[in-house]
Amino acid sequence: MSILVNQNTKLLVQGITGRDGSFHAGKMKAYGTNVVAGVSPGKGGSAVDGIPVFNTVEQAVKATGANTSIIFVPAPLAADAILEASEAGIELVIAISEGVPTLDMVKVMPYLAKKGTKLIGPNCPGLISPDEALIGILPGNIFLKGNVGLMSRSGTLTYEMVYQLTSNGIGQSTCVGLGGDPVAGLYFLEILQMFQDDPATEAIVLIGEIGGDAEERAAQFIKEHVTKPVVAFIAGQSAPPGKRMGHAGAIISSGSGTAEEKIKAFEQVGVKVAKIPSEIPDLLKQVMKK
Amino acid sequence: MSILVNQNTKLLVQGITGRDGSFHAGKMKAYGTNVVAGVSPGKGGSAVDGIPVFNTVEQAVKATGANTSIIFVPAPLAADAILEASEAGIELVIAISEGVPTLDMVKVMPYLAKKGTKLIGPNCPGLISPDEALIGILPGNIFLKGNVGLMSRSGTLTYEMVYQLTSNGIGQSTCVGLGGDPVAGLYFLEILQMFQDDPATEAIVLIGEIGGDAEERAAQFIKEHVTKPVVAFIAGQSAPPGKRMGHAGAIISSGSGTAEEKIKAFEQVGVKVAKIPSEIPDLLKQVMKK
Amino acid sequence: MKIHEYQAKEIFSRYRIPVTNEVVCYTVDEAVAAAEKLGLPVVIKAQVLAGGRGKAGGVKLARTKADVPELAGKILGMDIKGYTVEKVLVAQGVKFSSEFYVGLTIDRNSKSVIFMASSEGGVEIEEVAKDNPDAIHKFVIDPDLGLTPFLARKIAFALFTDFNLVKQGADLFQKLYRIFMDTDSSLVEINPLVITEEGKLLALDGKMNFDDNALFRQSAIEALNEPTEDELKELDAKEKGLTYIRLDGSIGCMVNGAGLAMATLDLIKYFGGEPANFLDIGGSSNPQKVIDAMNLILSDKNVKVVMINIFGGITRCDDVARGLISALEKIKVDVPIVVRLSGTNSKEGLEILKQANLPIVETMSQAAQKAIELCGKN
Amino acid sequence: MKIHEYQAKEIFSRYRIPVTNEVVCYTVDEAVAAAEKLGLPVVIKAQVLAGGRGKAGGVKLARTKADVPELAGKILGMDIKGYTVEKVLVAQGVKFSSEFYVGLTIDRNSKSVIFMASSEGGVEIEEVAKDNPDAIHKFVIDPDLGLTPFLARKIAFALFTDFNLVKQGADLFQKLYRIFMDTDSSLVEINPLVITEEGKLLALDGKMNFDDNALFRQSAIEALNEPTEDELKELDAKEKGLTYIRLDGSIGCMVNGAGLAMATLDLIKYFGGEPANFLDIGGSSNPQKVIDAMNLILSDKNVKVVMINIFGGITRCDDVARGLISALEKIKVDVPIVVRLSGTNSKEGLEILKQANLPIVETMSQAAQKAIELCGKN
């Protein structure tokens, strides 16, 4: 078992004829993900890597039964692509596109709620249930099937963490890159609940970042709803106030959303926080022994 | 019993300090409706006919527990008033205001759906459950408590019909004036279902009008979901095509929505249609004998 | 409210929707000059606020220089469904391949704006709707989203196969939606929308209707209004709180409430009479309103009898009766009047009328029959 | 992206939000002329893209004619948090009673725009948020509805009791929301919003930040950008696919991925070092990118050592290693370099680096410690 994506995932790639879309469609297919269709307006009828391409998401869903979509379209068009997927009945949308205007996402959210569409991203690396399905731009080879659920606001830092887990023989149920934009889809709370409910997940790794209060809220949620062990890491402990470090999310302003506060929030609810990334495997081993 | 409004109705009057608002607030209260509050921005703290006035609907609901609201504000502000009621948790909104721009109503509808707010109107006379609650501008004295449910797209025509029923000793469970605007709240289908489910209603009178296809859809719905006897009347049988007869709804264009088609649709599903208003009491007596 | 084709296309142009090169002309000379400027052939089209002008001979193709004054002369001054043609649109003739229909209107059932598109353009869309409903694609527009790029593309893919046309179409449809929303339209149509020889989409004709309830915030649109004489009368009535529509019969009607007024007309027809008007005087007993209403009815010289049908609701019948009498004292009415008064305090009301020697009846049906009888005598 | 107070207030003015009469001045002479025109007293305010200018002495009241050149002269050229004051705003002194705070920003939790309002204006709102959070009213704005009149009124009722002020406030707040949406803002603030002696609301100060991701469609806003030298460097880096932020330390960093880059800085600090920059080179092994990145790092003369931390994901470590070597062959680097390479094909990558005699380490922690060690020696 795993969460969100698995062998029943039928993946549609929106923007499949673009540079990133075609490259990663191939990578995902090679990993074993069931990539059933692509969409690229005006390219309907063609194929990429053997994957049939359609003009609209509606046509693709009708023809292939796609239930999940990954978005590689350029940022100015990404919100519209998300809406198109939602309108066509796609259940889970993963938006990789980086640089999507915040107000575009603000306008998208109520529609997704109305249609019951789940969203991950934008500006995220995607997610993977090892040996089942890889949806995103994550390097499949570093993951190992297992029983740790991982969620992160960051990309390469996730890989770094996963690599350390895998190197230590700790496998993963599902790893989710949530993205770092100010307005994003599923976040810590929803994913924590899913891991809590997933029989295949025994422990949870949460990789946070400075800015906002998502980690503080996650800590509160863990206290109230999560019985499985959780360990955490917060990136940006040394970031100077007011500087934006790559992720739009990672801005510290005036003493709120600092790493210090987040670490304190976690420790208060019994979540162990790694000081440096290399501590994570040991912390996990400690909490999982119990 | 009755539908929508009864002795548990706690009524708020939006626009209570206006000419129509204050006049009808008094009339409704005199009828016995539980009028608990009024709203008029800037007049908070005052009272109309002993009814306390608030600046916002939120304050009124908090102070009085109002669950139903009637809107008397001028047409350009009516949509905003409906939204304010919905946002504050009002369950049923009756919009009397006439001349509300259609696109205002188009924009209001999804929000009401999201919040689960029921709407009647705009441009409607309101509704009454005789001896329980009168919400609107209907003349309370012509109604008689009984077991016939009545719904209508028209105002005075409704009174005419009700007067004939009452004069013939036929009482009413609830009478609903739906309004004649192109985009309106609850309509035939929803009200039919409510009457069907209401133990106090034994027969149903439907008063339709030319224009649109609401009556045709009602006929189809009756066939599939309504087991109680229904009789109908269609106004505008003689209206010339393309003319707007008072109600925005009553436009015939190019052979669709004619009285002839509507009457045919009803007769096909076994609903008796009165040729002239005075036939209604007799038809009712016929179907209720069975 | 309706506007002319040329006005609709001026609005289209402002939103950069391609329309034909064209000039609106009030005289034959202007039409000749316009044709000279545009180059032959030109299409000369009557500008009247009525449908079916093609069938009525109000649209003609001028191929030669001599055609222009001849055809323009014929069309100017022509009567189309009671409207006199006071201006024509002289439009450059365009070579095109296919004709499409696109239109936006309000959909009562989805309570949304709906986009309609069909490959069977150039003919009356109502005919298509009747004969081949599947040929009309309908797309409900979510009010919260508006016409999104993806939906605009979906519509365009339903009409076109060439992706270049799909892109043009999607862009054009979004503009059309913006026009609809920006102007509080109730109907916006392009019929036909054509593909020119150069592979460009072009609006050959255009139609726009507006929501009267929204005109208060659409002053630029309201300024385009050209009410006919009948409509002016209706507008004037509206300012007095009356809704008046002139019809062709001889029985003048005064009723309170639109639904009851419609039912009254139906009843007159049912018993074999012909109503002269629809007139809703609303819900007050103000004598001035009755005076205005009576003057309005009597301004129609066809009226041979007046039927007053009042249902007293909130306004009591005795008040109405007093209002009626006070009004009738102030104006001279030289046709017979039939009064039917029912509802709250009807007994008292009828008593008052009786004392004033006004002919009264008990029911609507009796009133209608009595009016028809008096009409036959006159 | 940020803009100056005077620019924000120019935008406010365009939306008819009342602001003080004011003139932006680049010289003392201009300030004197402006004060003459506006009349005394005037407030002279430094226009810099940094907060806390009041505490830094960048805002002064000039009561007399002599005050103006003196104070303007003091403020112009002043350094506020590393920004040199190149212009001042000379604003008419206004008598007012109460001070309010109103602001709009994005709320991550409701995923909506949020309106904040407080009666405790005139001070830093972050202080109010800390000391008296209940004094800040927050209103989530439904994205589908926007700031409706009723919500604007509700906000205004939370601040004002006088209905005249409520009406002014509701109107002003709706305009402020339109500004936020129209310009793709990330923050719009008026602090303080005051009530003048005439009972009118007036924006005494204004602040606007914008969503960088939306600047592509906000050319008028983008044109207002006045990047500092550091920001120009960051922008230049962005064009090359790099995210660069200059910091104060001496260990230059080159990392792929923002999160990993942050964690790298953390690690350096954790072991007692000071990073010279944040630099995310993204996910490709293109040698040109490495060259650009290295040039960027070395343009900072404080850098004594460079730490390269690459996690090979989709891009394999051996490709990264080859890219690194090819880049380092093309530029002269006269400070020591520490390379840490991990992930896909890391063994092969490290082998390649070893053959090229580049100092390599196995883990992030080792890399950080090694860099700090080398930094100490330099």
Side-chain angles (χ1 to χ4, degrees), chain B residues 23-24 27 75-76 98-107 109-111 136-142 153-157 159-161 163-164 180-187 190 209-214 217 233-240 242-251 253-255 275-279, chain C residues 1-2 106-113 124 126 130 141-144 180-186 210-217 230-231 234 243 245-247 255-267 269-271 275 278 280 282 309-316 340 342-347 363-365:
Chain B
F23 176 76
H24 290 289
K27 285 269 172 197
E98 188 184 335
V100 182
T102 305
L103 287 180
D104 284 7
M105 292 311 301
V106 166
K107 284 172 205 150
M109 289 300 172
Y111 187 79
I137 57 173
L138 312 124
N141 58 309
I142 63 169
R153 282 169 71 175
S154 160
T156 38
L157 182 55
Y159 312 158
E160 175 78 35
M161 292 292 193
Y163 189 70
Q164 300 201 7
D181 275 6
V183 172
L186 297 184
Y187 232 70
E190 295 90 347
E209 225 172 58
I210 50 171
D213 64 353
R217 290 159 58 89
F233 175 77
I234 305 294
Q237 299 176 40
S238 65
K243 285 285 181 185
R244 175 184 289 222
M245 299 264 170
H247 289 193
I251 303 175
S253 51
S254 338
K275 286 194 184 59
I276 57 176
S278 54
E279 286 181 13
Chain C
M1 188 198 128
K2 291 176 181 182
I106 299 288
D107 177 40
R108 286 154 183 269
N109 296 323
S110 62
K111 301 176 186 184
S112 304
V113 178
E124 291 218 13
E126 290 83 0
K130 229 188 247 173
I141 298 174
D142 188 299
D144 293 332
F180 189 95
M181 300 304 287
D182 288 356
T183 61
D184 275 297
S185 294
S186 55
F210 303 94
D211 178 3
D212 291 342
N213 286 345
L215 287 178
F216 71 88
R217 64 186 178 201
D230 278 356
E231 283 164 347
E234 290 166 19
T243 308
I245 298 167
R246 193 180 157 176
L247 302 170
V255 190
N256 66 333
L260 188 60
M262 269 199 283
T264 304
L265 305 193
D266 291 347
L267 210 57
K269 280 230 175 189
Y270 179 78
F271 288 114
F278 170 101
D280 170 14
N309 182 15
I310 303 290
F311 187 88
I314 295 281
T315 313
R316 289 165 6 201
R340 181 263 184 167
S342 183
T344 312
N345 286 17
S346 60
K347 269 188 195 167
T363 70
M364 272 174 77
S365 296

Side-chain angles (χ1 to χ4, degrees), chain D residues 312-326:
Chain D
I314 294 280
T315 314
R316 291 165 4 202
C317 286
D318 47 346
D319 282 346
V320 174
R322 277 185 215 103
L324 263 179
I325 289 169
S326 145

Side-chain angles (χ1 to χ4, degrees), chain A residues 99-102 104 137 139 141 154 156 159-160 163 182 184-185 209 213 217 236-238 244-245 247 249 254 276, chain D residues 108-109 111 126 144 211 213 217 245 247 256-260 262 266-267 269-270 278 311 313-314 340 342 344:
Chain A
V100 182
T102 304
D104 284 7
I137 58 173
N141 58 307
S154 158
T156 39
Y159 312 158
E160 176 78 33
Y163 190 71
E209 226 172 60
D213 65 353
R217 290 159 59 87
Q237 299 177 39
S238 65
R244 175 183 288 221
M245 299 266 169
H247 289 192
S254 336
I276 56 176
Chain D
R108 288 154 181 270
N109 296 322
K111 301 177 187 185
E126 291 83 0
D144 293 332
D211 178 5
N213 286 344
R217 63 185 177 200
I245 299 166
L247 303 170
N256 65 333
L260 188 60
M262 270 199 281
D266 292 348
L267 210 58
K269 280 230 176 189
Y270 179 78
F278 170 99
F311 186 86
I314 294 280
R340 181 265 185 165
S342 186
T344 313

